[in-house]
Amino acid sequence: MSVRILIVEDEEKLARFVELELLHEGYEVSKSGNGREALEMALREDFDLILLDIMLPGLNGLEVLRRLQKDKPVPCILLTARDAVMDKVAGLDGGAVDYITKPFAIEELLARIRVALKLHGQGSLQPSAGHNQEEGVLTWGALTLNPQSRVVRYGGQEVLLTNREFTMLRVLLENQNVVLTRDILLEKVCGYDYVGETNVVDVYIRFLRSKIDEAFGVKMIRTVRGVGYVIQNEK
């Protein structure tokens, strides 16, 4: 049975980004950008966890939290501004199970979600299966990617990636020396039914470069201007 998460966030781009990541992790996701609407959804439907922004139109997040705790308790993780200390305190005192400050790394949010679900009896979903799980370990220099265990290491040090980042890297490694267009990468990573801008590919490439190229001082992912990206065999 899938875990259902409600995202309550009025910043549409952020909400969409989080939604895509959660869907890729295997969660069932609903969204709302209005506090009053979100409260009605939470009371009407059954959610395992709510990601709840505090500053919302219609009804602020703390009031949504208060009413939920009174009428239908649901584990809530608050999304707060970095300096909103009193909001954090009020939220935790009001029954929130955790909070995370904006801007946040998606890996941290996913980890907090897993902890919250585990603590509240939902366990955690296994990551989505991905593709080509039967293939062997992929390598590039000191980097290894194991499709079966879904572990990436550089020189023995594990590199923590989200499911979407992992899939992006796997596709590039499987096609070393082949320039992949943004459209192809989008299809391989996000699926045929993805509706959105191709610049989401550039976003995940930046994440990968930050975690691998910049972290280990290498130049693994090359940009082919006007076309796409490629990983060339290291010589």
Side-chain angles (χ1 to χ4, degrees):
M1 184 175 179
S2 61
V3 171
R4 298 191 67 204
I5 297 178
L6 173 62
I7 301 171
V8 189
E9 170 60 65
D10 63 334
E11 293 181 38
E12 180 55 34
K13 288 184 178 180
L14 175 59
R16 178 60 174 161
F17 172 71
V18 174
E19 178 187 26
L20 289 173
E21 289 293 339
L22 293 182
L23 288 171
H24 201 69
E25 294 290 322
Y27 299 108
E28 185 177 335
V29 183
S30 297
K31 276 191 314 181
S32 175
N34 180 283
R36 193 171 301 280
E37 176 191 67
L39 177 61
E40 293 174 356
M41 290 176 64
L43 293 174
R44 183 176 66 248
E45 304 176 39
D46 292 325
F47 293 100
D48 299 297
L49 182 74
I50 298 177
L51 301 179
L52 182 59
D53 188 24
I54 290 180
M55 300 300 293
L56 292 166
L59 204 64
N60 74 57
L62 293 178
E63 182 60 20
V64 173
L65 176 66
R66 186 188 70 79
R67 297 192 191 186
L68 281 176
Q69 291 302 306
K70 177 175 177 287
D71 299 325
K72 188 180 180 181
V74 181
C76 294
I77 296 178
L78 296 179
L79 308 179
T80 74
R82 184 168 296 279
D83 58 352
V85 177
M86 293 310 298
D87 284 344
K88 297 173 187 175
V89 173
L92 293 173
D93 286 346
V97 299
D98 201 355
Y99 68 84
I100 188 167
T101 55
K102 302 177 187 178
F104 51 79
I106 191 64
E107 295 89 348
E108 181 181 2
L109 177 61
L110 293 173
R112 288 174 182 268
I113 288 172
R114 289 192 292 270
V115 170
L117 291 171
K118 184 176 182 179
L119 290 176
H120 290 81
Q122 297 302 326
S124 60
L125 291 181
Q126 293 296 318
S128 300
H131 306 283
N132 299 320
Q133 292 292 302
E134 73 280 0
E135 294 184 12
V137 174
L138 301 170
T139 63
W140 183 87
L143 182 135
T144 61
L145 180 149
N146 189 317
Q148 295 186 10
S149 66
R150 299 186 69 81
V151 172
V152 176
R153 298 183 186 277
Y154 191 95
Q157 180 177 335
E158 186 170 356
V159 181
L160 298 178
L161 302 178
T162 66
N163 271 357
R164 204 175 292 276
E165 291 166 354
F166 179 92
T167 304
M168 177 81 72
L169 179 60
R170 178 183 57 74
V171 171
L172 286 166
L173 286 172
E174 287 174 344
N175 295 277
Q176 291 184 47
N177 297 320
V178 177
V179 179
L180 299 177
T181 67
R182 288 174 175 81
D183 287 333
I184 289 175
L185 286 169
L186 194 65
E187 176 187 304
K188 296 288 188 183
V189 176
C190 298
Y192 291 100
D193 57 352
Y194 174 79
V195 178
E197 300 294 332
T198 57
N199 63 5
V200 71
V201 170
D202 301 325
V203 172
Y204 288 110
I205 290 293
R206 284 202 300 273
F207 290 160
L208 285 175
R209 281 175 168 162
S210 174
K211 294 179 178 182
I212 299 174
D213 294 44
E214 296 172 16
F216 298 102
V218 296
K219 292 183 178 180
M220 182 177 68
I221 302 173
R222 286 189 54 237
T223 300
V224 180
R225 190 175 298 276
V227 182
Y229 298 96
V230 62
I231 291 178
Q232 294 183 324
N233 288 336
E234 191 181 39
K235 298 179 181 179

